């Protein structure tokens, strides 16, 4: 049975085709679309083949991208001589050759050689500090604080940073972050101290709540002190975290006085070294512990005046308590300071403290039942427990002025001195994390982000670091999401805002219609200070799209257009009428075509992304979704044409997204949901989470040449815990059978 699409209006043709399939379940139906229509029908047929009788369909079409290219001869006589004998279900003529649309692995090798001037450190594999690497970022993102505000006077280029116990705890996932921070920085809140240069060229050291392991940092929520001319940046790199913490504990909050006694555990660590020097500077009597001869030598090197008997070996003496009892004639010490959180020190420290003594623990990020019990025990003995952590220091704003004054004065006066350090170059960030993860690290582990200039230079020199590339948005631009109030659209909006976007236009047929939409938009407006505009509209012409873009341009140049519009009417082709077919197809087609045409007129080189969201139903085919597949095919061919014309354009075929979006709505109906899961699993497709989708966006939005890409979650071919296998109907299938099912055999 033959037909020629150019002889029929589309819906007449579709009705004819559905009727033909009913009558010809044992005969092959050959379709030869007219060239003007062929470009949009390829994946319509992909879905059609999944329907009853669809395996009999064969089609030949012309899909030239250049109008000047010779078109294919689709006459019956010519096709019989070229493609009919091959009996392939799809035959596509493009640029003088016959072929077919096929999938191939995405080439992401560009990531291996990516470099950037602006970046920060991430640890993508939580629990494996050696996975640390640099991740690209926009300078605007680094210059923005947690309240989404910028202060150029408090932004500096980072020259040196350092790794501390808190960084290692974060790398092991032992310091919980909110999901919001994880999304915004992709596990990149590393680095709590820095040495840098402000925009005006002055040098500064500081303590911040994170993100100091970067090429630039906004320290508006931190503490900062001008670096005296007598200091080099490299020497100062060991100072901020240790000395701000020690000065807060022993100088500002509970001042240590001359003649008082203090036991400082692990004196060879960076915090221990800072504590010893600070205590000696005020005339206190210092005792410290070490656990090796190497540590003893380290302490002797930096503190030659410290009495040998005051350096206590933890493994040689019967106990620390016995040693302190001898050295203090049984009176104990006034203060015990632990440079890091260690529950094992609690018991012996109780007996090392004298009357009204104080136990100071550095670096403990949160309390526990053990800590609470220890603090209560000290209280019963008229003693106190004090926890000092970066967050505690930065939140105690009443103490900041005095802390800055004391640290600044002693930096200038020479009381504060550099701590011994091992310096790693920026490219050695993985090795630095490994070194800092070792037990009993002596001194500091310092990262040299950029070397200090050997001459007076007003501005920092640019960098080029090897990075894991990451998509970022321009806060000056506006991003349009057609159909943006759906589940996927709202999550994408949040993601774009977290990547730097400040102006978003969301279109919808109905506008804000539920509490979740209101809540999400409220979060973005209040927490991120994002300018979110919701436009209730249905695009029916290029003029409507032109008006939408012009309205958006009042907020800034358009940097991205995303088309997420979606209406589903899942029925076999033979059951569709004109209305049900057109509503589903046009929800995709109109927004894509009209925005394409309008953006060509109104958007110049500022437009970086034109991204319609397609579906695996287009690429793989899905029964009862010919209308949906038709609309997706229009999207994809539009992006092919845009790419051929030198414009941005990339359609993304998504699989089933399980926690938001249309599939989630479907699964609210148990029977339909189970059927959809079985259908996808039969094709080898699992249910993809939204965070996985957004992770893929990082790769997709950085691509330069691709016009259609796909993302899906592979499904296990082994029977799952519920007893349902990867094949539809619950029957366990072999790998070969499942593969054949995927490819339609």
């Amino acid at each position: 049975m033959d037909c020629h699409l150019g002889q029929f209006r589309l819906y007449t043709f579709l009705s004819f085709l559905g009727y033909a399939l009913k009558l010809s379940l044992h005969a092959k139906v050959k379709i030869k679309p007219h060239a003007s229509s062929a470009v949009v029908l390829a994946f319509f047929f992909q879905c059609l083949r999944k329907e009853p009788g669809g395996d009999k369909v064969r089609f030949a079409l012309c899909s030239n991208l250049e109008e000047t290219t010779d078109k294919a001869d689709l006459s019956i006589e010519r096709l019989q001589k070229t493609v009919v004998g091959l009996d392939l279900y799809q035959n596509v003529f493009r640029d003088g050759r016959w072929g077919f649309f096929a999938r191939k692995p995405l080439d992401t090798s560009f990531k291996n050689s990516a470099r950037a001037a602006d970046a920060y450190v991430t640890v993508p594999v939580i629990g494996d500090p050696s996975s640390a690497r640099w991740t690209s970022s926009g300078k605007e993102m680094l210059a923005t604080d947690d309240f989404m505000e910028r202060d150029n006077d408090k932004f500096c280029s980072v020259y040196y940073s350092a790794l501390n116990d808190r960084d290692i705890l974060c790398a092991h996932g032992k310091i919980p972050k909110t999901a919001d921070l994880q999304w915004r920085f992709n596990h990149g809140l590393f680095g709590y101290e820095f040495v840098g240069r402000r925009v005006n060229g002055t040098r500064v050291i500081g303590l911040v709540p994170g993100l100091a392991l970067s090429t630039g940092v906004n320290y508006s929520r931190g503490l900062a002190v001008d670096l005296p001319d007598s200091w080099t940046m490299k020497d100062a790199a060991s100072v901020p975290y240790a000395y701000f913490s020690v000065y807060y504990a022993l100088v500002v909050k509970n001042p240590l006085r001359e003649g008082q006694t203090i036991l400082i555990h692990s004196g060879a660590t960076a915090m221990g070294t800072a504590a010893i020097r600070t205590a000696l500077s005020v005339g206190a009597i210092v005792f410290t512990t070490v656990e090796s001869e190497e540590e003893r030598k380290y302490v002797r090197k930096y503190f030659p005046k410290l009495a040998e008997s005051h350096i206590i070996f933890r493994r040689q003496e019967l106990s620390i308590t016995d040693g302190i009892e001898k050295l203090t004639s049984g009176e104990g010490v006034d203060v015990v300071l632990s440079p890091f959180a260690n529950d094992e020190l609690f018991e012996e420290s109780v007996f090392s403290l004298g009357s009204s003594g104080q136990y100071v623990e550095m670096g403990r990020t949160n309390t526990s039942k053990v800590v609470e019990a220890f603090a209560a025990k000290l209280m019963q003995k008229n003693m106190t427990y004090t926890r000092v952590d970066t967050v505690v220091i930065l939140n105690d704003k009443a103490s900041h002025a005095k802390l800055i004054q004391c640290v600044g004065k002693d930096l200038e006066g020479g009381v504060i001195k550099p701590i011994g350090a091992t310096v790693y170059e920026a490219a050695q960030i993985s090795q630095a994390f490994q070194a800092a993860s070792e037990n009993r690290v002596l001194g500091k582990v310092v990262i040299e982000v950029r070397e200090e200039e050997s001459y007076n230079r007003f501005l920092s020199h640019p960098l080029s670091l090897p990075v894991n590339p990451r998509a970022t948005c321009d806060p000056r631009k506006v991003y349009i999401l057609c159909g943006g109030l759906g589940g996927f659209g709202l999550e994408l909006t949040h993601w774009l805002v977290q990547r730097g976007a400040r102006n978003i236009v969301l279109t919808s047929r109905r506008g804000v219609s539920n509490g979740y939409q209101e809540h999400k938009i409220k979060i973005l407006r209040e927490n991120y200070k994002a300018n979110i505009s919701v436009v209730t509209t249905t695009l029916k012409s290029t003029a409507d799209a032109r008006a939408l873009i012009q309205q958006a341009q009042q907020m800034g140049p358009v940097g991205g257009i995303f088309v997420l519009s979606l209406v589903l009417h899942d029925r076999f082709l033979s059951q569709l009428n004109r209305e049900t077919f057109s509503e589903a197809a046009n929800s995709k087609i109109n927004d894509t075509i009209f925005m394409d045409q309008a953006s060509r007129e109104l958007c110049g080189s500022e437009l970086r992304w034109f991204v319609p969201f397609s579906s695996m139903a287009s690429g793989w085919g899905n029964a009862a979704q010919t209308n949906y597949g038709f609309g997706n095919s229009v999207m994809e061919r539009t992006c092919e044409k845009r790419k051929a014309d030198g414009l941005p354009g990339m359609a993304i075929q998504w699989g089933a997204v399980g926690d938001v979006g249309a599939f989630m709505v479907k699964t609210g109906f148990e029977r339909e949901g189970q059927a959809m899961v079985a259908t996808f699993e039969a094709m080898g497709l699992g249910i993809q989470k939204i965070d996985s989708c957004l992770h893929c966006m990082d790769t997709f939005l950085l691509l330069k040449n691709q016009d259609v890409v796909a993302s899906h979650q592979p499904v296990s071919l082994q029977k799952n815990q519920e007893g349902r296998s990867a094949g539809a109907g619950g029957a366990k299938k072999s790998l070969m059978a499942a593969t054949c099912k995927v490819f339609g055999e």
Side-chain angles (χ1 to χ4, degrees):
M1 182 180 296
D2 297 315
C3 67
H4 195 287
L5 184 57
Q7 299 173 0
F8 299 91
R9 293 181 61 187
L10 176 61
Y11 302 113
T12 303
F13 162 71
L14 295 177
S15 299
F16 169 81
L17 182 57
Y19 181 70
L21 290 180
K22 286 182 179 180
L23 295 179
S24 306
L25 294 181
H26 302 290
K28 292 179 181 176
V29 182
K30 301 173 185 176
I31 300 101
K32 304 172 298 181
H34 189 271
S36 61
S37 305
V39 73
V40 302
L41 286 175
F43 296 128
F44 162 83
F45 291 116
Q46 197 82 343
C47 292
L48 184 62
R49 279 179 52 81
K50 304 292 184 178
E51 299 192 3
D55 59 325
K56 307 302 179 183
V57 172
R58 307 289 186 269
F59 67 88
L61 58 82
C62 180
S63 182
N64 288 336
L65 293 176
E66 296 292 336
E67 295 181 0
T68 57
T69 305
D70 291 339
K71 295 180 174 59
D73 182 355
L74 298 181
S75 65
I76 297 296
E77 296 76 13
R78 182 60 181 168
L79 290 179
Q80 287 178 338
K81 293 179 180 179
T82 53
V83 300
V84 171
L86 299 175
D87 197 28
L88 300 175
Y89 84 87
Q90 62 164 293
N91 304 271
V92 181
F93 184 86
R94 175 172 289 183
D95 301 327
R97 295 186 301 172
W98 285 100
F100 55 89
F101 291 115
R103 293 174 292 277
K104 64 179 182 179
L106 187 63
D107 182 9
T108 59
S109 59
F110 70 93
K111 290 186 174 183
N112 300 329
S113 57
R115 304 186 73 86
D118 301 299
Y120 62 97
V121 170
T122 65
V123 178
V125 182
I126 297 301
D128 181 12
S130 66
S131 68
R133 59 186 177 182
W134 290 92
T135 296
S136 65
S137 178
K139 188 173 183 179
E140 296 82 4
M141 284 290 291
L142 297 177
T144 304
D145 67 16
D146 288 349
F147 297 112
M148 295 296 134
E149 296 177 348
R150 292 187 59 181
D151 184 347
N152 287 335
D153 293 335
K154 292 187 177 181
F155 176 78
C156 75
S157 298
V158 174
Y159 281 67
Y160 292 89
S161 186
L163 291 172
N164 299 286
D165 52 346
R166 189 178 179 89
D167 295 298
I168 303 306
L169 289 172
C170 283
H172 283 285
K174 295 181 179 179
I175 299 181
K177 300 186 182 73
T178 65
D180 190 66
L181 289 176
Q182 288 179 346
W183 273 118
R184 183 179 172 206
F185 296 110
N186 194 22
H187 302 289
L189 287 172
F190 294 97
Y192 297 88
E193 59 185 317
F194 70 91
V195 182
R197 192 184 294 279
R198 297 187 183 96
V199 176
N200 63 9
T202 57
R203 304 184 309 162
V204 62
I205 69 170
L207 182 73
V208 290
L211 210 62
L213 270 171
S214 60
T215 55
V217 65
N218 182 323
Y219 61 87
S220 59
R221 293 189 63 199
L223 295 168
V225 175
D226 287 346
L227 185 64
D229 293 338
S230 57
W231 282 76
T232 66
M233 286 186 169
K234 181 181 287 188
D235 285 343
S238 62
V239 168
Y241 186 83
Y243 277 100
F244 272 116
S245 299
V246 168
Y247 267 57
Y248 178 81
L250 302 182
V251 177
V252 175
K253 298 302 290 183
N254 297 286
L256 189 65
R257 297 184 300 275
E258 183 178 358
Q260 285 189 308
T261 53
I262 181 171
L263 168 62
I264 299 170
H265 287 293
S266 303
T269 62
M271 192 75 74
T273 301
I276 293 173
R277 191 172 300 283
T278 302
L280 290 175
S281 71
V282 300
I285 300 170
V286 177
F287 307 97
T288 189
T289 65
V290 295
E291 293 193 7
S292 68
E293 184 60 31
E294 183 183 13
E295 291 187 9
R296 181 192 286 272
K297 290 180 179 179
Y298 181 92
V299 173
R300 293 295 298 162
K301 174 184 176 181
Y302 284 93
F303 305 104
K305 294 184 179 180
L306 187 64
E308 184 74 27
S309 61
H310 287 200
I311 304 175
I312 305 171
F313 259 113
R314 287 184 57 84
R315 295 180 180 175
Q316 285 187 357
E317 272 77 10
L318 182 61
S319 72
I320 298 299
T321 303
D322 292 339
I324 291 298
E325 188 173 357
K326 286 181 184 179
L327 293 168
T328 62
S329 302
E331 294 185 2
V333 295
D334 297 304
V335 179
V336 173
L337 185 143
S338 174
F340 46 79
N342 188 348
D343 297 353
E344 295 178 359
L345 297 177
F346 287 167
E347 191 63 31
E348 64 184 40
S349 297
V350 171
F351 299 104
S352 298
L353 281 170
S355 177
S356 302
Q358 179 187 16
Y359 186 92
V360 179
E361 189 174 37
M362 317 295 283
R364 185 176 289 276
T365 59
N366 48 48
T367 60
S368 66
K369 291 184 178 180
V370 174
V371 174
E372 292 171 357
F374 175 64
K377 188 173 184 178
L378 290 181
M379 188 179 298
Q380 292 172 359
K381 295 177 178 292
N382 197 31
M383 301 173 184
T384 58
Y385 168 86
T386 302
R387 179 176 70 91
V388 177
D389 174 63
T390 302
V391 174
V392 172
I393 297 171
L394 296 178
N395 286 340
D396 187 5
K397 297 186 183 301
S399 300
H400 287 184
K402 184 176 181 180
L403 183 56
I404 291 172
Q405 178 189 12
C406 293
V407 172
K409 182 186 71 172
D410 287 352
L411 269 175
E412 185 75 44
V415 174
I416 294 176
K417 296 185 182 299
I419 298 170
T422 303
V423 180
Y424 292 84
E425 295 180 356
Q428 298 174 304
I429 190 64
S430 176
Q431 296 94 310
F433 265 84
Q434 290 181 66
S437 299
E438 296 176 358
N439 291 328
R440 314 297 300 180
V441 177
L442 299 182
K444 296 284 288 189
V445 174
V446 170
I447 313 299
E448 183 182 79
V449 180
R450 46 165 68 85
E451 188 177 3
E452 184 177 8
E453 303 82 5
S454 58
Y455 55 91
N456 290 330
R457 184 185 176 95
F458 193 71
L459 296 176
S460 306
H461 56 77
L463 292 174
S464 179
L465 294 174
V467 297
N468 174 50
R470 184 173 186 256
T472 56
C473 300
D474 189 334
R476 301 177 300 106
K477 296 181 180 180
V478 59
Y479 297 85
I480 302 173
L481 280 72
C482 297
L485 284 182
F488 203 150
L490 289 172
E491 294 302 319
L492 176 62
T493 301
H494 199 159
W495 186 84
L496 291 170
V497 170
Q498 289 167 329
R499 294 307 177 90
R502 288 295 165 269
N503 305 300
I504 304 284
V505 173
L506 305 175
T507 76
S508 171
R509 291 173 297 155
R510 295 185 295 270
V512 176
S513 58
N514 60 56
Y516 175 71
Q517 294 170 339
E518 293 179 356
H519 172 70
K520 198 73 171 179
I521 293 172
K522 181 180 179 181
I523 287 176
L524 297 178
R525 286 172 174 167
E526 295 182 357
N527 293 6
Y528 290 92
K529 296 182 172 57
N531 185 11
I532 308 294
S533 175
V534 177
V535 178
T536 304
T537 184
T538 299
L539 300 184
K540 297 180 179 179
S541 66
T542 303
D544 291 341
R546 192 182 297 116
L548 175 63
I549 291 177
Q550 289 172 336
Q551 180 179 347
Q553 287 175 330
Q554 296 177 10
M555 303 163 67
V558 177
I561 296 173
F562 298 84
V563 181
L564 299 86
S565 311
L566 170 67
V567 173
L568 293 176
H569 283 303
D570 292 353
R571 300 175 188 174
F572 289 142
L573 179 62
S574 59
Q575 300 171 334
L576 288 170
N577 57 36
R578 180 184 302 225
E579 289 71 26
T580 53
F581 186 94
S582 62
E583 185 176 8
N586 286 341
S587 67
K588 296 280 191 178
I589 295 171
N590 289 350
D591 285 0
T592 302
I593 294 295
F594 297 149
M595 291 301 287
D596 168 46
Q597 295 170 347
S599 65
R600 288 172 183 263
E601 298 175 16
L602 300 176
C603 302
S605 59
E606 294 278 5
L607 182 64
R608 183 181 176 191
W609 299 317
F610 185 94
V611 184
F613 279 16
S614 182
S615 168
M616 296 299 291
S618 175
W620 295 63
N622 196 18
Q625 289 195 321
T626 52
N627 48 6
Y628 187 54
F630 181 83
N632 286 323
S633 193
V634 174
M635 286 181 155
E636 294 172 19
R637 305 291 78 76
T638 300
C639 289
E640 282 188 340
K641 180 59 177 172
R642 287 183 63 89
K643 267 293 194 292
D645 294 341
L647 298 171
M650 180 178 62
I652 303 176
Q653 293 181 357
W654 296 108
V657 182
D659 39 8
V660 298
F663 178 79
M664 185 63 178
V665 173
K666 277 276 187 181
T667 54
F669 302 93
E670 186 175 355
R671 181 175 298 179
E672 288 188 50
Q674 291 177 351
M676 290 184 71
V677 169
T679 299
F680 278 105
E681 289 184 349
M683 295 190 292
L685 305 179
I687 310 304
Q688 190 171 8
K689 296 294 186 180
I690 185 63
D691 57 348
S692 172
C693 297
L694 296 176
H695 178 74
C696 292
M697 291 292 289
D698 259 329
T699 298
F700 293 155
L701 295 183
L702 293 171
L703 297 172
K704 302 295 184 183
N705 303 317
Q706 286 73 12
D707 40 40
V708 181
V709 295
S711 171
H712 70 278
Q713 175 68 44
V715 68
S716 171
L717 297 179
Q718 299 297 322
K719 198 170 184 179
N720 62 22
Q721 293 178 349
E722 298 176 355
R724 185 181 63 233
S725 72
K732 189 172 182 179
K733 294 182 179 292
S734 68
L735 177 60
M736 180 60 71
T739 303
C740 291
K741 185 79 173 176
V742 168
F743 288 98
E745 296 298 328

